[in-house]
Amino acid sequence: MTEATQTGQLMEVPKGVSLWQDAATRLRKNKLAMFGLVFLIFIILLCLITPWIAPYGYEEQNLRLGATSPSAAHWLGTDIFGRDMLTRILYGGRVSLFVGFIATAVALVIGVTYGAIAGYAGGRTDSIMMRFVDILYAMPFMIFIVLLMVVFGRNILLLFLAIGAVEWLTMARIVRGQIQNLKHQEFVEAAVSIGLSSFAIVWKHLIPNALGPVIVYTTLTIPSVMLLEAFLSFLGLGIQPPSSSWGLLISNGVESMEEYPWLLIFPGLALTLTLFALNFLGDGLRDALDPRSSGD
Amino acid sequence: MKSLLEVDNLAVHFHTRNGLVKAVDGISFKVEAGETTAIIGESGSGKSVACYSLLGLIPKPPGKIESGSALFDGKDLLKLSERELRKVRGKGISIIFQDPMTSLNPFLKVGTQLIEPLQLHFGMGKKEAWAKATSVLEEVGIKNADKRMDSWPFEFSGGMRQRVVIAMALITEPKIIIADEPTTALDVTVQAQILKLLKDLQEKRQIGVLFISHDLSVVADIADDIVVMKDGKFVEQGSRDDIFERPQHDYTKKLLNAVPTAQKPPSESSAKPLLVVNHLCTQFSSNTPGEIIKAVQDVSFTIERNEVVGLVGESGSGKSTLGRSIMRLVRPHSGSVLFDGREMTEIEGKNLKDMRRRMQMIFQDPYASLNPRMSVYDTLAEPILLHKIANKKGLDKEVFRLMDSVGLARESVLRYPHEFSGGQRQRIAIGRAISTKPEFIVADEPVSALDVTIQAQILDLLLDLVSEFDLTMLFISHDLGVVRYLADRILVMNEGQLVESGTTDAVLNNPQQLYTQTLLQAIPGKSLVQNSQELS
Amino acid sequence: MWRFIGWRFAQSIPVILAVITITFFLVRLAPGGPFSSEKAVSPQVQAALEAQYNLDQSMPQQYISYLADLARGDFGPSFKFPGRSVNELIFSGLPITAELGFYAMLVAVFIGGLAGVIASLKPNTMQDYGPMGLAMVGICMPSFLLGPLLVLVFGIWLDWLPVSGWGSSSGDKILPSITLGAMYAGYIARLSRSGMLEVMSQDYLRTARAKGLPEYLVITKHALRGGLLPVITYLGPAFAGLLSGSFVVETVFQIPGLGRFYVQAAFNRDYTMILGTTTFLATLIIFFNLLSDVLAAWLNPRLRYQFKKKT
């Protein structure tokens, strides 16, 4: 494309529709996925600019006020220390989303590299590498993460590493399967037979075609990572006060849910809606990028 | 005598999101007892939809039967309720599907699947049904039938599975069998056996057969009556002889002409070998550890400059692996490949890249051989830039020149593969293969995935390019008709070995080896070839 | 088949061993000894305690003796509950967790499976969107949120069901089972829907219809087996998820099961208890993974046949 658009002669020729554009069109038609995308962008933007827009300070207590239900001054009410819930949810969202994106990025980098190497190398290297993944798969990781948190204290960096270490396995399998599959496609053989270098084959022919499932799986990994973080925080093994995350807010909310149900419901809603949005977007991307559905 | 089935003015439309598709638009035909009515047409002609809609087997919605009648046994099938139709399905009319590998349930034993129609339609007990099924299985030529009843579908080969499917269709002694491309997925020798079996059973039981096919040569051998369809529309109908000898409609004539029956006139060879293959062996380790598949075993031959050599064999014969070994897409285990005097099996790096420029490959499946994320321009420009055939300035001109050579419209240069039809895609792939100005091309079944009229165009394109660019070609195919059309010499492969080689004329008219003779015997449509030879 | 089971079994032994080893050394690496919270213990008492728990030996020695104890099925004494062994604690919690897990699995498989199959019969209609929307709620609503919400609505506001306990008042098992099973019901619903849709597009279903089979037979006899195979494979991972989910659910509903013990042990730095429960739970999870693999292989005639032929 880049070369083609430079020259004058090609300017008059009608443009084709690439598979990516095709997928984008399909995604745009998927209402749920688009809702997910818009909602997600909205939440991410809100969390990014939280320090400038939050109506109150994050630690700003008002003990005299105590817990109040939603009002004009505090849209989502206040907690037992009189702290503004909207502010706390926004700050909590920063942490939850941050963990979600960073841990997924860790999983993505490890998983794609590992899977691509195994898939492209094939043969013995591949079977040894994948056997290792199989063994790790059999490990009860949830229990290990709890253990790690207990043993090494509740360290956010460790949390990334631990969650990333679990989630990269599936990514590696997906990428490896994709590469294995593509390697035997005739267009890759054709690239070999015109004399292209291995690097060019991987870069121009394999990666663009393996990207779809990776994007989909990445989108679906973020919610599962966020769930994991919330789960640990709820048990008191994840994020520690004074920092906050949605899981921690929910955990606090549970303690006083009889008297002040909004302290549970609003952070719960924030987490659930974000997970919804991510899952819908992931499903939509899968439908849009799946080559099987592009036939009709 | 009254016809078994009389279909009149059948129309089936699909109401899809992208608009109305008239899949079948006013088709009429009859099926007589003991005779075969064939419906022929290319892919997308609506021939399968027409037959399935008779039994209510099309998805509704989006499908809808718009008009017509189908009289069977005094009833109009199109007006029957689902419950009444179920009594016809599998009892009065049975279906044999195209792909025997997918049409049997992999989770149920063959016997369980066979007795199902008996239990359902005749309320037969399991024991009685099992005994009957065993005898039918024997009738379709499956040995040890009582043991095989207990087998799983995957324990059968493709041809054997199709026999099981036929047994399943026959078991209720239906009056009509709809056979939907029943041999398309099979090798040519197996195809011959299955066709013969169908014919024998039909005569014995006086069954009416509705035979759906895209393959004129198969139809020529078995049909009594032929209906030609195109884009859902009725083209013409007539007896076998009418259609083949006195076709009325242009489309029918086009179809008939597309069947490659002519033989390439022998060309004088330059006697300068371009490719010398000596004792070539290629093997793979199979999925079962320790086991080795010898795909190519000790194969030797030479190809002269400007020669087109056909390499023929059935699936699994190793012909494709041989082509890939020559191209160095797989590494041969031993032996040598001399291209223009240079050993191909050893070279690496820059030397290999130079040799790759001089020899190119065209692949079978034009849907898989093009990178779906690259436009035609990028696909063609990649090898041109890589081998510096043209510089950046002359690149556009060179790409357009290639598109002209392979008959693609210049306007479509920025389009992506999924925006083209199968035939156009194969043109793109051919364009890529000739873009490096190669001397030698390996063409691996380049037309077997294409409709017959498109196939003829691509074959002619290949022949034109061979003479225009002085190409030498190894043409791999399972289809002897196609090979005869463009090859000067023929090599025959079976189970990894070269069994026979010689000029096209010698191999086809005077085969020395038993395997070649069997292969030739099995080719459908011999009557066609004889006719055309008499004419010419 | 037996060969397959044996092979898979042999494969899981090194995994279990690795789990034990990693856990053992991780726990020993932890900063802060088990008695550090108790103030001012005299050196003699400290030494006596350490001797009692083998802490005076070198690390490898401790490891070896721990393995030897494990081989005899002895998880050792608890650090924090003097006089009680880890075995006792595990086996007092196990029946409760097992029962909870069983009910949750029932919820997951039956409700989830049914919802998935129903949705797959009429894709892209209300019959599909309804169950699948609910499945999405199940997946996106974590148990630690769903549990409290259910308690709030059915326990406190409506006062229909007890808010905590296990087996002490009637109906107190309902909310925990639903809470624990909901997410897996969601996953299973999605899995069985896509599995069924995949099978429904297969040619052999067309063959079944062409025989004249009524639709209910086409589905029950020809489609279900292949369509639900992915669910069987998922049961192993689902079981692992249920176990770790029980940490939360048992905490929320104050159920004295294994999960709650584990979380308490984690907070108390009860070394032998952590070690013991981790080993035990890990072995259980690995065993159930094995079981679901074997089940899936057994239901797939092709795999079954391959292994039969080899033996």
Side-chain angles (χ1 to χ4, degrees):
Chain A
M1 277 306 294
T2 44
E3 297 130 56
T5 40
Q6 287 164 358
T7 47
Q9 205 176 358
L10 288 170
M11 297 291 264
E12 305 118 45
V13 169
K15 285 263 167 58
V17 184
S18 76
L19 283 184
W20 294 118
Q21 290 166 310
D22 215 34
T25 317
R26 263 200 298 275
L27 188 66
R28 243 175 270 131
K29 279 190 201 153
N30 188 330
K31 287 195 194 88
L32 279 177
M34 286 318 282
F35 154 77
L37 186 64
V38 170
F39 182 83
L40 218 58
I41 292 172
F42 176 69
I43 287 282
I44 290 172
L45 278 180
L46 270 189
C47 288
L48 278 178
I49 56 171
T50 296
W52 296 278
I53 59 152
Y56 296 88
Y58 168 66
E59 283 295 304
E60 196 179 314
Q61 299 189 356
N62 189 344
L63 289 172
R64 226 173 7 168
L65 185 65
T68 58
S69 53
S71 62
H74 299 277
W75 290 358
L76 301 183
T78 54
D79 69 2
I80 48 170
F81 301 110
R83 292 180 293 196
D84 182 55
M85 273 312 278
L86 178 61
T87 309
R88 290 189 69 73
I89 287 176
L90 286 175
Y91 274 99
R94 281 166 76 89
V95 175
S96 287
L97 285 169
F98 187 64
V99 173
F101 280 97
I102 298 292
T104 304
V106 172
L108 189 71
V109 171
I110 305 177
V112 169
T113 320
Y114 194 92
I117 292 173
Y120 195 69
R124 258 189 107 70
T125 323
D126 173 49
S127 60
I128 291 171
M129 285 176 85
M130 288 333 274
R131 172 68 66 237
F132 179 65
V133 169
D134 286 347
I135 289 174
L136 287 186
Y137 243 107
M139 295 268 185
F141 264 105
M142 204 49 221
I143 292 176
F144 265 128
I145 290 180
V146 173
L147 193 68
L148 273 177
M149 291 296 124
V150 172
V151 172
F152 292 109
R154 288 112 222 199
N155 178 333
I156 199 168
L157 197 75
L158 194 65
L159 193 67
F160 290 150
L161 279 179
I163 296 179
V166 182
E167 301 287 344
W168 73 268
L169 293 172
T170 314
M171 185 67 86
R173 276 192 177 176
I174 290 176
V175 172
R176 182 254 183 189
Q178 280 290 313
I179 299 284
Q180 275 260 310
N181 199 356
L182 287 171
K183 221 170 58 172
H184 298 292
Q185 293 272 313
E186 288 183 344
F187 72 80
V188 176
E189 289 195 312
V192 174
S193 64
I194 63 170
L196 227 51
S197 64
S198 288
F199 176 78
I201 290 172
V202 171
W203 184 245
K204 284 181 76 179
H205 294 273
L206 290 181
I207 288 184
N209 283 292
L211 220 49
V214 173
I215 293 174
V216 172
Y217 185 70
T218 305
T219 320
L220 293 174
T221 301
I222 299 172
S224 74
V225 168
M226 288 177 67
L227 259 182
L228 204 54
E229 179 276 319
F231 174 87
L232 290 171
S233 297
F234 178 83
L235 286 178
L237 295 167
I239 306 296
Q240 293 297 299
S243 326
S244 189
S245 76
W246 286 339
L248 202 58
L249 286 175
I250 291 173
S251 169
N252 293 336
V254 170
E255 285 159 22
S256 53
M257 67 178 182
E258 278 182 62
E259 300 88 359
Y260 319 120
W262 61 88
L263 296 186
L264 171 65
I265 290 171
F266 289 127
L269 217 54
L271 177 65
T272 309
L273 284 179
T274 308
L275 295 182
F276 250 98
L278 279 162
N279 275 310
F280 281 139
L281 181 63
D283 279 1
L285 281 171
R286 171 161 35 216
D287 292 343
L289 291 168
D290 188 352
R292 268 185 300 180
S293 61
S294 67
D296 51 30
Chain B
M1 200 178 71
K2 236 182 107 215
S3 303
L4 278 178
L5 175 71
E6 251 177 83
V7 176
D8 189 45
N9 196 29
L10 174 68
V12 184
H13 295 179
F14 284 89
H15 301 264
T16 69
R17 253 178 293 175
N18 303 329
L20 181 73
V21 179
K22 296 180 177 178
V24 179
D25 200 11
I27 300 293
S28 309
F29 56 85
K30 288 176 189 171
V31 179
E32 312 284 350
E35 292 195 356
T36 299
T37 302
I39 302 188
I40 59 170
E42 297 184 287
S43 54
S45 61
K47 54 194 193 300
S48 294
V49 174
C51 297
Y52 291 163
S53 63
L54 299 179
L55 292 176
L57 286 174
I58 52 164
K60 284 184 269 188
K64 188 165 177 270
I65 294 172
E66 299 287 336
S67 71
S69 65
L71 282 179
F72 171 75
D73 231 3
K75 278 174 284 191
D76 183 356
L77 292 176
L78 304 183
K79 295 204 170 60
L80 291 185
S81 69
E82 172 68 18
R83 175 188 285 271
E84 289 165 312
L85 259 181
R86 277 207 302 268
K87 288 186 193 142
V88 179
R89 278 185 217 150
K91 188 182 179 193
I93 303 178
S94 297
I95 304 186
I96 300 166
F97 292 101
Q98 171 171 356
D99 189 354
M101 302 315 260
T102 58
S103 56
L104 289 171
N105 189 335
F107 296 103
L108 294 176
K109 286 187 174 168
V110 161
T112 316
Q113 297 185 59
L114 271 172
I115 62 170
E116 230 170 13
L118 291 176
Q119 291 174 311
L120 190 72
H121 294 296
F122 301 110
M124 227 180 245
K126 191 176 174 189
K127 230 178 173 170
E128 192 189 349
W130 198 269
K132 161 117 196 197
T134 312
S135 70
V136 176
L137 212 52
E138 239 160 47
E139 198 181 338
V140 297
I142 288 181
K143 294 185 188 98
N144 287 332
D146 50 340
K147 262 203 193 137
R148 295 301 255 166
M149 287 285 285
D150 256 325
S151 302
W152 300 98
F154 58 80
E155 294 177 60
F156 292 83
S157 67
M160 284 296 151
R161 280 197 210 194
Q162 200 60 309
R163 285 173 196 264
V164 173
V165 174
I166 291 174
M168 203 153 73
L170 280 173
I171 202 159
T172 51
E173 295 174 9
K175 293 190 176 127
I176 292 180
I177 287 184
I178 297 174
D180 183 8
E181 308 252 12
T183 57
T184 307
L186 304 173
D187 267 333
V188 60
T189 48
V190 181
Q191 162 169 297
Q193 293 162 14
I194 295 290
L195 287 176
K196 182 167 183 312
L197 173 71
L198 260 179
K199 193 89 205 159
D200 291 347
L201 291 166
Q202 174 185 23
E203 271 164 21
K204 200 164 118 197
R205 303 192 173 192
Q206 284 299 298
I207 299 171
V209 173
L210 186 56
F211 195 96
I212 307 171
S213 183
H214 72 285
D215 191 335
L216 277 167
S217 15
V218 168
V219 169
D221 286 351
I222 60 156
D224 299 294
D225 217 32
I226 296 175
V227 179
V228 183
M229 271 181 86
K230 182 180 191 283
D231 299 333
K233 291 199 173 59
F234 176 85
V235 175
E236 74 177 296
Q237 179 190 12
S239 71
R240 180 201 170 280
D241 293 344
D242 282 347
I243 294 288
F244 282 102
E245 273 149 40
R246 294 171 291 279
Q248 301 300 311
H249 200 280
D250 284 347
Y251 179 69
T252 315
K253 287 176 191 160
K254 200 173 148 199
L255 271 183
L256 286 170
N257 288 333
V259 179
T261 50
Q263 185 173 328
K264 189 180 180 183
S267 59
E268 69 277 28
S269 62
S270 58
K272 257 199 292 173
L274 180 66
L275 184 81
V276 181
V277 174
N278 256 322
H279 302 290
L280 193 72
C281 295
T282 303
Q283 53 192 37
F284 304 107
S285 46
S286 90
N287 287 333
T288 350
E291 204 181 315
I292 283 169
I293 299 165
K294 292 181 178 163
V296 176
Q297 299 175 45
D298 195 21
V299 169
S300 307
F301 63 91
T302 57
I303 296 181
E304 322 275 305
R305 238 175 237 282
N306 299 339
E307 206 180 18
V308 177
V309 174
L311 177 57
V312 181
E314 295 186 286
S315 57
S317 63
K319 57 187 193 303
S320 226
T321 309
L322 177 57
R324 282 172 162 75
S325 304
I326 293 168
M327 289 297 300
R328 266 291 293 278
L329 287 175
V330 293
R331 235 173 211 286
H333 175 67
S334 65
S336 82
V337 175
L338 287 174
F339 181 82
D340 199 17
R342 297 189 59 175
E343 179 56 55
M344 282 295 295
T345 54
E346 298 295 334
I347 55 170
E348 286 298 339
K350 194 177 172 310
N351 290 337
L352 178 61
K353 188 180 154 191
D354 285 344
M355 293 309 277
R356 290 218 185 278
R357 188 194 66 70
R358 299 176 63 188
M359 50 204 298
Q360 282 294 308
M361 184 150 180
I362 300 166
F363 296 87
Q364 169 173 9
D365 184 357
Y367 287 83
S369 67
L370 296 171
N371 185 340
R373 304 207 181 267
M374 279 165 71
S375 66
V376 178
Y377 185 89
D378 291 335
T379 300
L380 295 179
E382 189 175 51
I384 294 175
L385 288 175
L386 183 72
H387 292 290
K388 303 190 176 64
I389 307 290
N391 57 16
K392 284 242 161 158
K393 251 180 160 174
L395 183 62
D396 291 357
K397 233 173 110 189
E398 184 63 23
V399 169
F400 282 137
R401 204 186 54 75
L402 276 175
M403 295 193 65
D404 295 344
S405 308
V406 296
L408 282 167
R410 289 187 172 197
E411 293 89 72
S412 56
V413 70
L414 290 185
R415 294 196 186 279
Y416 289 83
H418 66 272
E419 300 174 89
F420 291 93
S421 69
Q424 286 172 317
R425 287 186 198 209
Q426 199 58 297
R427 285 176 193 270
I428 302 171
I430 292 171
R432 175 180 55 196
I434 60 170
S435 67
T436 62
K437 304 196 189 305
E439 295 147 59
F440 176 64
I441 287 185
V442 173
D444 186 5
E445 301 260 17
V447 295
S448 65
L450 305 175
D451 271 331
V452 58
T453 49
I454 311 291
Q455 175 175 323
Q457 293 165 12
I458 297 291
L459 287 177
D460 286 335
L461 172 66
L462 284 175
L463 274 181
D464 289 347
L465 293 174
V466 163
S467 60
E468 190 182 338
F469 296 107
D470 284 336
L471 292 171
T472 308
M473 188 183 285
L474 179 65
F475 188 94
I476 303 171
S477 180
H478 71 284
D479 187 337
L480 275 165
V482 167
V483 169
R484 144 210 213 95
Y485 185 66
L486 49 70
D488 303 307
R489 271 194 310 131
I490 292 182
L491 309 171
V492 182
M493 262 185 104
N494 184 29
E495 293 177 358
Q497 283 167 331
L498 205 58
V499 290
E500 181 152 6
S501 68
T503 63
T504 304
D505 195 47
V507 171
L508 292 184
N509 297 327
N510 191 15
Q512 299 301 308
Q513 299 295 318
L514 186 65
Y515 178 74
T516 316
Q517 287 162 10
T518 326
L519 208 57
L520 283 168
Q521 280 299 314
I523 303 174
K526 275 191 292 295
S527 46
L528 273 184
V529 175
Q530 276 143 23
N531 285 351
S532 76
Q533 275 173 347
E534 280 157 25
L535 286 174
S536 59
Chain C
M1 199 63 208
W2 287 108
R3 201 184 132 127
F4 175 69
I5 296 173
W7 184 69
R8 281 288 281 109
F9 195 75
Q11 230 186 358
S12 40
I13 289 174
V15 178
I16 293 175
L17 213 61
V19 169
I20 297 173
T21 313
I22 295 170
T23 318
F24 183 87
F25 286 103
L26 264 184
V27 170
R28 294 296 136 123
L29 276 177
F35 308 112
S36 54
S37 60
E38 276 127 306
K39 289 168 269 176
V41 183
S42 69
Q44 292 92 330
V45 176
Q46 175 98 28
L49 275 170
E50 288 192 347
Q52 188 193 338
Y53 292 109
N54 288 338
L55 292 181
D56 51 349
Q57 293 172 337
S58 72
M59 204 84 100
Q61 273 176 321
Q62 291 180 34
Y63 177 63
I64 303 279
S65 61
Y66 185 71
L67 277 189
D69 284 347
L70 267 190
R72 279 183 278 114
D74 181 6
F75 290 102
S78 163
F79 272 143
K80 288 285 150 147
F81 297 92
R84 296 188 67 183
S85 73
V86 175
N87 288 46
E88 270 171 55
L89 287 168
I90 288 181
F91 286 102
S92 78
L94 181 64
I96 293 173
T97 301
E99 200 186 351
L100 171 63
F102 177 71
Y103 289 140
M105 201 59 131
L106 280 189
V107 168
V109 172
F110 280 95
I111 298 186
L114 202 65
V117 172
I118 287 174
S120 72
L121 295 182
K122 290 213 170 129
N124 302 322
T125 61
M126 277 323 285
Q127 188 179 325
D128 180 16
Y129 297 142
M132 284 304 114
L134 272 180
M136 194 57 118
V137 174
I139 288 170
C140 293
M141 179 115 40
S143 53
F144 53 84
L145 180 59
L146 180 64
L149 283 180
L150 287 177
V151 167
L152 199 60
V153 175
F154 295 100
I156 296 169
W157 292 347
L158 296 171
D159 198 16
W160 287 353
L161 291 164
V163 298
S164 66
W166 186 259
S168 47
S169 51
S170 69
D172 64 356
K173 292 179 182 176
I174 296 176
L175 289 185
S177 306
I178 292 177
T179 304
L180 186 54
M183 177 178 285
Y184 301 94
Y187 279 120
I188 287 177
R190 285 168 65 90
L191 264 180
S192 49
R193 173 182 181 268
S194 59
M196 286 296 286
L197 282 182
E198 171 89 39
V199 169
M200 298 288 229
S201 67
Q202 296 289 317
D203 286 351
Y204 64 82
L205 281 209
R206 199 177 50 183
T207 312
R209 292 201 181 94
K211 282 180 193 172
L213 286 179
E215 200 58 26
Y216 77 91
L217 270 183
V218 172
I219 286 158
T220 51
K221 199 170 168 190
H222 288 268
L224 273 186
R225 204 180 294 222
L228 294 186
L229 210 54
V231 175
I232 306 285
T233 328
Y234 177 67
L235 288 183
F239 178 82
L242 281 181
L243 267 189
S244 39
S246 73
F247 299 176
V248 162
V249 173
E250 289 178 8
T251 306
V252 169
F253 290 94
Q254 292 157 33
I255 297 168
L258 259 189
R260 193 140 166 255
F261 284 161
Y262 187 72
V263 175
Q264 280 173 353
F267 275 101
N268 292 336
R269 300 190 170 282
D270 188 340
Y271 283 0
T272 42
M273 186 66 192
I274 296 175
L275 204 51
T277 14
T278 303
T279 312
F280 183 75
L281 292 179
T283 313
L284 218 57
I285 287 171
I286 290 165
F287 175 73
F288 270 85
N289 267 329
L290 180 91
L291 207 66
S292 80
D293 271 11
V294 169
L295 199 62
W298 183 71
L299 284 175
N300 189 340
R302 184 163 214 150
L303 279 177
R304 204 181 339 164
Y305 177 79
Q306 274 173 7
F307 284 100
K308 203 174 10 177
K309 230 170 66 171
K310 277 186 196 163
T311 38

